[in-house]
Amino acid sequence: MLQKSLKNTILINLGAFVLVLTLELLGGWMHIDKYDSLYSFYLWGLGYTISIMTVIWINHFVLIPYLLDKKKYFLYGFLLIGAIFLGVSIKIYPKFDWIGITKMSSFLVYTTGTGMAAFFLRRSMRIQRENSEKEKLQKELELNYLKEQVNPHFLFNSLNSIYALSRQQSTETPEVVMQLSELMRYQLESAKKDFVSLKEELEFIENYLLLEEKRLSKRCAIEFLIEGESSNYKIAPMLLIPFVENAVKHGAQATNAQSTIDVNIAIKNSRLYVHVVNSKHNAATQSTRMGTGLENVQRRLNLLYPNAHELQISDMEAAYHVNLTIDITD
């Protein structure tokens, strides 16, 4: 990495040297008749270029990093003036006169200022690129961490469902174990991907609700409706299931009374509309709704769909509503 950076620096400065030399030769071409030969003309242009680039290189590689960046402003200014006079000496040697010194000094001040502007612009762009890469890496690390948290959270809730069925000595327990196996297979496969088919994700939610419907038996009415075509879109995996799990856990699971869970999905104009509502009872009212699953999904929404989603949660007296809108444009 260091060798690549050094190589790029050398190439950029060689390119700058050639560019300055070309500009000097083009600028002096109209006065080429003043020179004894073509060789002396090129030598004149080379002299100008060496004097300009000497000051620029001293400034860029010595004065700025070791003095200006360390806020040694007085010493930086003093040595920069010295570097300019060194450049003047290189150009006008051996003919020293005040007119030549003044003209060349003014010219070097201008070119040095231009070089500094280019230097700080390039450094600013490099810093922005590095910060962008760091933010991207941090985002990927955080998303992977959140994704890893979703897996055990979902497994924990699902095993609780099977445990409840086994205590009831339900004949459906083996079938539910197989369903859970399929759900876990999908979850493990989707965890390796950044995005999955929206259709597959909705099928996963439907199968999960079918599993819960068997466990909750007749004391919970579950409705799952999909409107619109989902096969043409993709979504981050396991992004919607925490809202559904939350409705089950804090709705039907929190009471023995009759309860309802409604999950409505709509896809319109490249936007996904999710509405999850569950009934509430006195026993469920006291529970804290914001668990690990919802905290994770809210964080993932902010990272994956910044300025492209809207989440509204309404905790009413008799029902709990979640309304989520996501722009799923490819």
Side-chain angles (χ1 to χ4, degrees):
M1 188 69 179
L2 183 62
Q3 290 181 345
K4 183 179 179 181
S5 177
L6 180 61
K7 182 179 179 181
N8 289 339
T9 301
I10 292 173
L11 289 175
I12 288 172
N13 282 279
L14 284 176
F17 186 92
V18 172
L19 177 63
V20 172
L21 177 60
T22 302
L23 291 174
E24 289 301 320
L25 292 175
L26 290 175
W29 193 259
M30 294 180 62
H31 307 287
I32 194 172
D33 295 337
K34 295 181 179 179
Y35 298 91
D36 299 335
S37 63
L38 195 61
Y39 171 77
S40 60
F41 171 70
Y42 285 128
L43 193 63
W44 166 85
L46 185 62
Y48 256 111
T49 303
I50 291 174
S51 62
I52 292 170
M53 295 308 297
T54 297
V55 177
I56 289 176
W57 285 336
I58 290 173
N59 190 33
H60 288 189
F61 296 111
V62 180
L63 300 183
I64 290 178
Y66 293 102
L67 297 177
L68 185 63
D69 288 345
K70 295 182 179 180
K71 299 181 180 180
K72 298 179 180 180
Y73 303 124
F74 178 79
L75 185 58
Y76 168 77
F78 177 78
L79 291 180
L80 179 60
I81 293 172
I84 290 173
F85 276 105
L86 174 63
V88 171
S89 301
I90 293 174
K91 179 62 185 71
I92 67 174
Y93 178 83
K95 298 179 181 179
F96 290 97
D97 60 86
W98 284 111
I99 295 177
I101 292 174
T102 302
K103 286 184 177 180
M104 193 61 196
S105 297
S106 301
F107 182 71
L108 286 181
V109 167
Y110 168 75
T111 54
T112 302
T114 304
M116 285 183 69
F119 172 83
F120 285 116
L121 177 61
R122 180 170 173 268
R123 185 160 75 171
S124 176
M125 291 174 64
R126 188 188 75 246
I127 292 172
Q128 285 183 342
R129 185 174 63 254
E130 290 175 352
N131 289 338
S132 178
E133 290 174 355
K134 288 178 182 178
E135 289 176 4
K136 183 180 179 181
L137 178 60
Q138 182 62 33
K139 181 178 177 180
E140 289 175 355
L141 291 173
E142 189 169 357
L143 283 173
N144 288 334
Y145 171 74
L146 293 173
K147 208 186 284 186
E148 289 171 0
Q149 281 191 316
V150 170
N151 288 335
H153 185 269
F154 173 76
L155 178 61
F156 176 77
N157 288 343
S158 301
L159 288 175
N160 274 345
S161 299
I162 293 177
Y163 174 71
L165 282 173
S166 65
R167 290 200 60 182
Q168 298 168 15
Q169 296 183 343
S170 172
T171 57
E172 293 183 327
T173 302
E175 183 183 349
V176 170
V177 171
M178 289 301 298
Q179 286 181 332
L180 176 60
S181 174
E182 290 301 316
L183 290 174
M184 291 305 300
R185 187 194 309 277
Y186 170 78
Q187 188 194 34
L188 291 173
E189 290 176 354
S190 66
K192 302 173 185 176
K193 305 173 183 177
D194 294 328
F195 291 91
V196 296
S197 166
L198 177 59
K199 183 179 180 180
E200 292 179 355
E201 189 73 6
L202 295 180
E203 287 175 354
F204 170 78
I205 293 173
E206 183 177 18
N207 291 333
Y208 171 77
L209 287 173
L210 288 173
L211 182 150
E212 289 295 341
E213 194 171 32
K214 290 177 181 178
R215 179 179 68 86
L216 297 171
S217 189
K218 298 179 181 180
R219 64 185 178 89
C220 180
I222 298 178
E223 292 287 342
F224 182 66
L225 299 174
I226 301 176
E227 178 187 348
E229 179 56 50
S230 60
S231 58
N232 297 327
Y233 297 99
K234 292 186 178 295
I235 192 171
M238 306 298 292
L239 189 65
L240 306 179
I241 191 66
F243 298 115
V244 180
E245 285 184 301
N246 211 52
V248 173
K249 179 180 179 181
H250 296 284
Q253 194 171 300
T255 179
N256 290 322
Q258 188 67 28
S259 58
T260 60
I261 297 173
D262 293 326
V263 180
N264 295 291
I265 309 290
I267 303 100
K268 299 177 182 177
N269 300 322
S270 299
R271 296 182 75 84
L272 175 66
Y273 300 89
V274 181
H275 181 216
V276 180
V277 57
N278 65 268
S279 58
K280 283 176 54 179
H281 301 275
N282 291 334
T285 305
Q286 302 301 323
S287 65
T288 302
R289 292 302 297 260
M290 186 57 70
T292 302
L294 284 188
E295 288 179 350
N296 284 352
V297 76
Q298 286 186 332
R299 183 62 183 150
R300 288 183 72 199
L301 282 167
N302 291 333
L303 289 169
L304 290 166
Y305 299 96
N307 305 316
H309 80 277
E310 183 179 351
L311 176 62
Q312 294 180 342
I313 298 177
S314 303
D315 192 354
M316 300 180 181
E317 184 177 352
Y320 192 86
H321 292 260
V322 173
N323 286 288
L324 172 65
T325 303
I326 305 177
D327 186 348
I328 52 175
T329 305
D330 291 338

